[in-house]
Amino acid sequence: MYKILIIEDEAPARKKLKRYIEQVCNSYEIVAELETVAATKALLKQPHDLDLIFSDIELRDGNVFEVYNEVTLNCPIIFTTAYNAFLMHAFEANGIEYLLKPYSLERFSNAWDKFIRLKGNPPENYKDLMQTVNQLLKGNVENNVTYKDQFAIKSNKEIYFLKVEDIVCFQADNGIVFAFDKTNKRHIMPQTVLKEIELVLDPKLFFRINRSETVHRKFINKLERYNKNTVSIFLNAGSKVLRTSQNKTGNFNAWLEI
């Protein structure tokens, strides 16, 4: 029996994943279904006996690589994500697959077959593989990410370049993402969801404070408590004031190291 962990914050995606697992495997156990970085970290830091992890990358409270940078894995991961994976080729060379959403049953079956072949390797080869995987996850993830230093913005008359260092915050509204620069000018981004933008931003500089807003650390001037579990963030000399959501406040404070 294969013991499987699912890390996915979208219910429809979990439902589809479980349906596909049922179609390709007769003997398995879903050990847990996790939706957050915090829950994933708590589980994987404990002794665990897993055969396979299906993992999304961007979760409700952050990027799952926050976990993989800290824990040592004893099983492979198949990533399930809507965005192009920045370590796709490195991981595929070591037996780990990416399923780019929306993926088909055929694509899923191929990934599953690759996992079965991996499990069939001699123990010493499997051990060497997992050492390589953990080295990639811990030591080289950050080094292999290329963060954007500017975005190309298209208008009716021109294409111009918006420097990341000048962006105060991003705001998503009904399928449109706006960037506000240090002059408080609003720019319409080519991306339609914040998750796409977050994949190319340095997480040390930018933080998603709620479902629709991401802030730049260097433009944070002060914080004020708004209520018990929420803080107001004064940005860009107070020209913009945003608020954290209740489930983001703790992680935001930790990110600021306060």
Side-chain angles (χ1 to χ4, degrees):
M1 176 180 288
Y2 295 112
K3 294 185 177 180
I4 298 171
L5 171 64
I6 294 176
I7 305 168
E8 171 62 68
D9 62 351
E10 298 177 355
R14 290 197 305 274
K15 184 177 179 180
K16 174 181 178 178
L17 183 56
K18 288 187 290 183
R19 185 173 73 251
Y20 281 0
I21 293 172
E22 185 177 5
Q23 290 180 258
V24 300
C25 183
N26 295 322
S27 181
Y28 67 92
E29 175 190 356
I30 305 297
V31 175
E33 298 176 37
L34 306 178
E35 301 182 14
T36 64
V37 169
T40 302
K41 191 176 297 185
L43 187 148
L44 292 180
K45 282 191 172 182
Q46 302 300 319
H48 53 273
D49 182 21
L50 299 170
D51 293 298
L52 178 64
I53 298 173
F54 287 98
S55 176
D56 196 359
I57 293 177
E58 290 296 330
L59 303 178
R60 291 183 178 181
D61 58 344
N63 188 296
V64 77
F65 282 106
E66 295 176 30
V67 180
Y68 301 140
N69 285 336
E70 296 183 19
V71 304
T72 298
L73 296 174
N74 56 12
C75 68
I77 307 169
I78 295 177
F79 287 100
T80 57
T81 176
Y83 311 106
N84 289 329
F86 51 81
L87 281 180
M88 180 183 294
H89 299 298
F91 281 116
E92 286 190 343
N94 291 282
I96 289 179
E97 280 279 5
Y98 279 83
L99 296 174
L100 298 178
K101 300 174 182 176
Y103 52 86
S104 64
L105 176 59
E106 180 182 6
R107 181 73 179 90
F108 180 89
S109 297
N110 290 337
W112 180 265
D113 289 344
K114 194 169 188 178
F115 159 65
I116 297 300
R117 292 195 300 271
L118 172 63
K119 288 292 286 185
N121 280 341
E124 62 273 14
N125 292 346
Y126 187 83
K127 182 179 179 181
D128 290 343
L129 169 64
M130 290 314 302
Q131 288 178 344
T132 302
V133 168
N134 279 294
Q135 182 180 6
L136 282 169
L137 288 169
K138 292 178 186 298
N140 295 329
V141 167
E142 186 172 331
N143 292 334
N144 279 275
V145 180
T146 301
Y147 299 117
K148 277 189 175 292
D149 58 6
Q150 63 183 17
F151 290 95
I153 310 296
K154 296 181 181 179
S155 68
N156 292 333
K157 297 181 179 180
E158 62 181 356
I159 297 176
Y160 63 94
F161 296 93
L162 176 63
K163 300 292 185 183
V164 170
E165 64 182 4
D166 294 331
I167 298 174
V168 175
C169 65
F170 295 92
Q171 292 181 309
D173 184 19
N174 294 321
I176 301 175
V177 178
F178 301 100
F180 292 84
D181 66 23
K182 60 186 180 181
T183 68
N184 213 30
K185 181 180 177 180
R186 187 177 71 173
H187 308 264
I188 299 178
M189 300 297 295
Q191 296 83 0
T192 58
V193 293
L194 282 177
K195 280 188 176 182
E196 291 183 50
I197 293 174
E198 287 174 341
L199 290 175
V200 295
L201 293 176
D202 187 343
K204 294 178 182 178
L205 301 179
F206 289 87
F207 188 90
R208 172 94 73 93
I209 61 169
N210 54 49
R211 291 183 66 86
S212 61
E213 294 172 324
T214 297
V215 300
H216 193 164
R217 179 191 292 266
K218 81 171 186 176
F219 291 103
I220 298 175
N221 300 115
K222 68 174 182 177
L223 307 176
E224 288 185 1
R225 177 174 290 187
Y226 181 72
N227 59 33
K228 183 179 179 181
N229 298 311
T230 302
V231 297
S232 296
I233 305 169
F234 291 77
L235 296 163
N236 201 23
S239 63
K240 227 167 182 37
V241 182
L242 306 178
R243 296 190 183 96
T244 60
S245 60
Q246 293 187 15
N247 65 332
K248 290 283 190 176
T249 302
N251 289 328
F252 175 68
N253 289 339
W255 178 71
L256 288 176
E257 299 179 349
I258 59 176

